[in-house]
Amino acid sequence: MNQHERLLIIDFGSQVTQLIARRLRELNVFCEIHPFNKVDDAFLAAFAPKAIIFSGGPSSVFAEGAPMPPAGVFDLGVPILGICYGQQVMMHLLGGKVERGHGTAEFGRAFVTPTTDKLDILDGWFAEGREQVWMSHGDHVSHIAPGFKVFGTSPNAPFAITADPERRFFAVQFHPEVHHTPKGAKLYENFVRLAGFTGDWTMGAYREDAIAKIRAQVGDAKVICGLSGGVDSSVAAVLIHEAIGDQLTCVFVDHGLLRQGEAEQVVTMFRDHYNMPLIHADESDLFLNALEGVSDPEVKRKTIGRLFIDVFQKHAHEVGGATFLAQGTLYPDVIESVSFSGGPSVTIKSHHNVGGLPEKMGMKLVEPLRELFKDEVRALGRELGLPASFIGRHPFPGPGLAIRCPGEITREKLAILRKADAVFIDQIRKHDLYDEIWQAFVALLPVKTVGVMGDGRTYDYACALRAVTSVDGMTADYYPFTHDFLGETATRIINEVQGINRVTYDITSKPPGTIEWE
Ligand code: XMP
């Protein structure tokens, strides 16, 4: 098995640390994010990074117990890039000086101009004499550390870019990982090239390693995988199937809350196209009966989560002695974030997953996507030959249409919702907008309204269209459809779907809204 060249990101709690990792992954560099308080000298030795990046963070180096890297970090002889708070940490520890606050605030967009000296990591910068960067900092550096020189300044940050080229230590006041630093990616590219990375992190290489790892972990044991029809569990299943063939059985639970044609699509693809052992558990009666009369969103979610575990457990027995459970867990789910509040965060929604399963069933986990970001999972799916139409599918939540039908769920409402949703998606595809949108769906509202069709009165449901753009589902904005598109879609839904006589468009962003209605 290959040991990839590794870069370590020491996280000091910045909101955008994950973006650093993404920029590096785009350069085919393998990196991991670890919180500062979990990184000691022994960890550094074991991780053996080829380069290190200090993230930004909300702290002040003057604060009691201020986040710091381990003492030995500067003796490893590897290049280090410090960003924002990371820059201050470097100056503070290497003999420079940091001062509280800043004379003139410099948050947001700023322009950096070069000094006369050249610096490798700035190759390709300053073609127009200056570069736009994104600043966001509290304290500021007032004296740079011995051995450092200034390579870029901005009106309010005389030490915007500093470096000790001999030791290959670089420190920038701004955030090169964000979009608003247009040449930021170039800076990272220069940094990893200077550190000697060859770009060995490719999906082809990952696929081979992952297959070898799965085989080594599982041996000749049996594995089961809950298949939701989403991209993550599907890619995990195909990868594991490639590794261990029929030792893997997938269980697809149809809870009666899927979209139009969804169960058939998933089952056909996996059973017929991939020839994968697949249990299609049609448990819609069980779920829909249990949800009868339930209108509270959290009760819905918890009921579905509990039943899902029961059903999965029941069907897993049929497989006969599976000792491993496969899950499509992604890297953002396993990154341990730095918590400064210390307290538990508020539960907005109880997300449905098979989290409780492994302990309950005494199974070990196989999680071959644990190191990947969502876009990398899609790339791996392409590498494994999954159809593009499948890989590009919008996310669909575990509780399915239950949370798109606010209030009580009935089979009649679900049937109406499925039809309206299919028309909306058809419209989006027809207008070639599907790939521009993160997620689009219809929510059927628990209100009936009066309308007039032909010469008659109607008294039918209202629905809301929801379509958002997003990078990771954490924040989102509504999609700016044209009025023509919205008008045409409303007309089609009202004409084609019996039971709906009013269509609205949800223009709430997240926050303050959430993407789903419940
Ligand atoms: P919200 O509604 O919280 O959704 O803004 C963010 C993203 O998560 C999806 N979502 C879920 N996915 N199980 C899932 O697998 C869930 O219980 C669940 N709830 C929301 C949602 O569709 C959106 O993509």
Side-chain angles (χ1 to χ4, degrees):
M1 237 174 284
N2 269 335
Q3 171 68 42
H4 293 284
E5 298 163 344
R6 294 143 76 84
L7 187 149
L8 173 65
I9 300 169
I10 301 184
D11 183 19
F12 293 113
S14 160
Q15 298 290 324
V16 289
T17 303
Q18 278 201 32
L19 287 180
I20 306 176
R22 297 178 63 92
R23 293 292 90 83
L24 294 164
R25 296 285 183 96
E26 282 159 15
L27 295 164
N28 297 333
V29 168
F30 181 77
C31 58
E32 284 184 13
I33 299 171
H34 290 273
F36 71 92
N37 51 356
K38 296 289 166 67
V39 175
D40 57 18
D41 288 324
F43 176 94
L44 288 179
F47 192 93
K50 221 175 155 71
I52 295 174
I53 293 180
F54 294 168
S55 83
S59 298
S60 163
V61 293
F62 302 107
E64 210 187 302
M68 289 292 155
V73 73
F74 297 110
D75 301 326
L76 292 175
V78 301
I80 300 178
L81 171 63
I83 293 163
C84 199
Y85 176 78
Q87 175 215 32
Q88 292 159 22
V89 164
M90 284 174 89
M91 292 306 143
H92 183 69
L93 295 177
L94 292 170
K97 200 161 170 223
V98 180
E99 281 181 13
R100 280 175 202 278
H102 34 83
T104 315
E106 191 176 39
F107 281 89
R109 192 192 319 269
F111 289 91
V112 175
T113 47
T115 57
T116 48
D117 296 301
K118 291 274 165 287
L119 187 66
D120 288 353
I121 67 162
L122 299 176
D123 266 4
W125 272 50
F126 305 125
E128 281 151 34
R130 61 178 198 168
E131 273 316 326
Q132 181 186 314
V133 299
W134 197 256
M135 298 274 189
S136 165
H137 55 94
D139 298 338
H140 72 286
V141 173
S142 59
H143 291 285
I144 51 177
F148 277 75
K149 272 171 72 170
V150 182
F151 294 89
T153 62
S154 75
N156 296 314
F159 304 120
I161 303 171
T162 63
D164 177 342
E166 204 165 302
R167 286 189 287 176
R168 298 186 297 172
F169 293 164
F170 305 92
V172 296
Q173 178 95 69
F174 52 89
H175 288 271
E177 62 277 16
V178 304
H179 223 65
H180 309 285
T181 303
K183 287 271 175 67
K186 184 72 185 154
L187 190 148
Y188 283 116
E189 186 188 331
N190 295 335
F191 177 68
V192 298
R193 202 179 46 214
L194 173 143
F197 283 88
T198 55
D200 65 354
W201 173 251
T202 62
M203 277 307 129
Y206 183 81
R207 174 190 189 170
E208 279 173 32
D209 286 2
I211 286 172
K213 271 191 203 154
I214 294 165
R215 287 188 183 139
Q217 184 191 3
V218 169
D220 55 9
K222 287 189 174 153
V223 180
I224 52 167
C225 176
L227 203 60
S228 68
V231 176
D232 306 338
S233 63
S234 302
V235 171
V238 173
L239 185 69
I240 296 170
H241 188 245
E242 191 162 303
I244 59 168
D246 288 358
Q247 284 166 251
L248 171 74
T249 301
C250 292
V251 183
F252 175 65
V253 181
D254 181 346
H255 47 18
L257 299 159
L258 298 169
R259 289 168 293 187
Q260 194 164 291
E262 191 153 29
E264 294 75 21
Q265 275 168 26
V266 173
V267 172
T268 307
M269 185 167 94
F270 284 94
R271 206 178 262 161
D272 300 349
H273 193 67
Y274 282 97
N275 197 20
M276 211 183 272
L278 174 65
I279 298 172
H280 176 190
D282 182 355
E283 298 285 357
S284 39
D285 284 340
L286 177 76
F287 281 82
L288 297 183
N289 291 344
L291 289 168
E292 227 177 86
V294 177
S295 55
D296 181 85
E298 278 299 290
V299 179
K300 280 185 189 174
R301 283 175 171 274
K302 291 201 167 123
T303 306
I304 294 167
R306 176 174 49 78
L307 289 179
F308 190 92
I309 290 181
D310 290 350
V311 169
F312 197 70
Q313 204 162 13
K314 181 176 94 188
H315 288 282
H317 283 306
E318 291 174 21
V319 175
T323 46
F324 287 93
L325 176 76
Q327 287 191 341
T329 314
L330 304 189
Y331 192 46
D333 305 326
V334 301
I335 297 174
E336 228 185 310
S337 50
V338 178
S339 164
F340 285 94
S341 65
S345 53
V346 186
T347 302
I348 307 290
K349 299 178 183 187
S350 304
H351 270 217
H352 154 87
N353 56 36
V354 286
L357 258 185
E359 304 92 76
K360 216 173 156 183
M361 296 172 69
M363 300 179 93
K364 283 170 269 176
L365 280 176
V366 187
E367 296 179 308
L369 312 180
R370 273 180 78 86
E371 292 171 329
L372 304 184
F373 286 103
K374 186 91 183 178
D375 49 346
E376 292 176 310
V377 172
R378 292 201 162 114
L380 179 60
R382 280 190 289 274
E383 175 76 31
L384 290 163
L386 278 153
S389 58
F390 193 82
I391 289 169
R393 271 162 56 124
H394 291 170
F396 185 63
L401 300 183
I403 55 172
R404 295 177 178 179
C405 204
E408 276 184 41
I409 304 160
T410 64
R411 286 165 206 262
E412 181 218 0
K413 283 187 186 172
L414 288 172
I416 296 171
L417 174 55
R418 272 191 194 101
K419 283 192 193 135
D421 191 74
V423 173
F424 185 35
I425 298 299
D426 183 57
Q427 276 288 99
I428 287 173
R429 287 202 187 276
K430 261 198 184 143
H431 288 259
D432 212 12
L433 300 172
Y434 191 85
D435 294 338
E436 276 182 43
I437 293 171
W438 163 266
Q439 205 169 3
F441 57 87
V442 173
L444 189 73
L445 308 187
V447 241
K448 284 192 159 184
T449 73
V450 174
V452 52
M453 269 177 107
D455 289 327
R457 175 188 195 264
T458 59
Y459 186 56
D460 284 328
Y461 287 109
C463 74
L465 311 178
R466 181 79 164 135
V468 295
T469 53
S470 177
V471 178
D472 50 15
M474 303 297 288
T475 58
D477 206 352
Y478 76 90
Y479 186 79
F481 288 121
T482 63
H483 287 193
D484 283 351
F485 175 91
L486 289 171
E488 190 183 298
T489 306
T491 306
R492 272 195 65 189
I493 289 177
I494 289 165
N495 287 345
E496 295 174 33
V497 183
Q498 212 180 349
I500 292 180
N501 68 355
R502 195 174 294 264
V503 177
T504 64
Y505 186 42
D506 177 358
I507 54 165
T508 321
S509 61
K510 173 183 180 175
T514 56
I515 296 175
E516 303 289 347
W517 272 51
E518 289 191 332

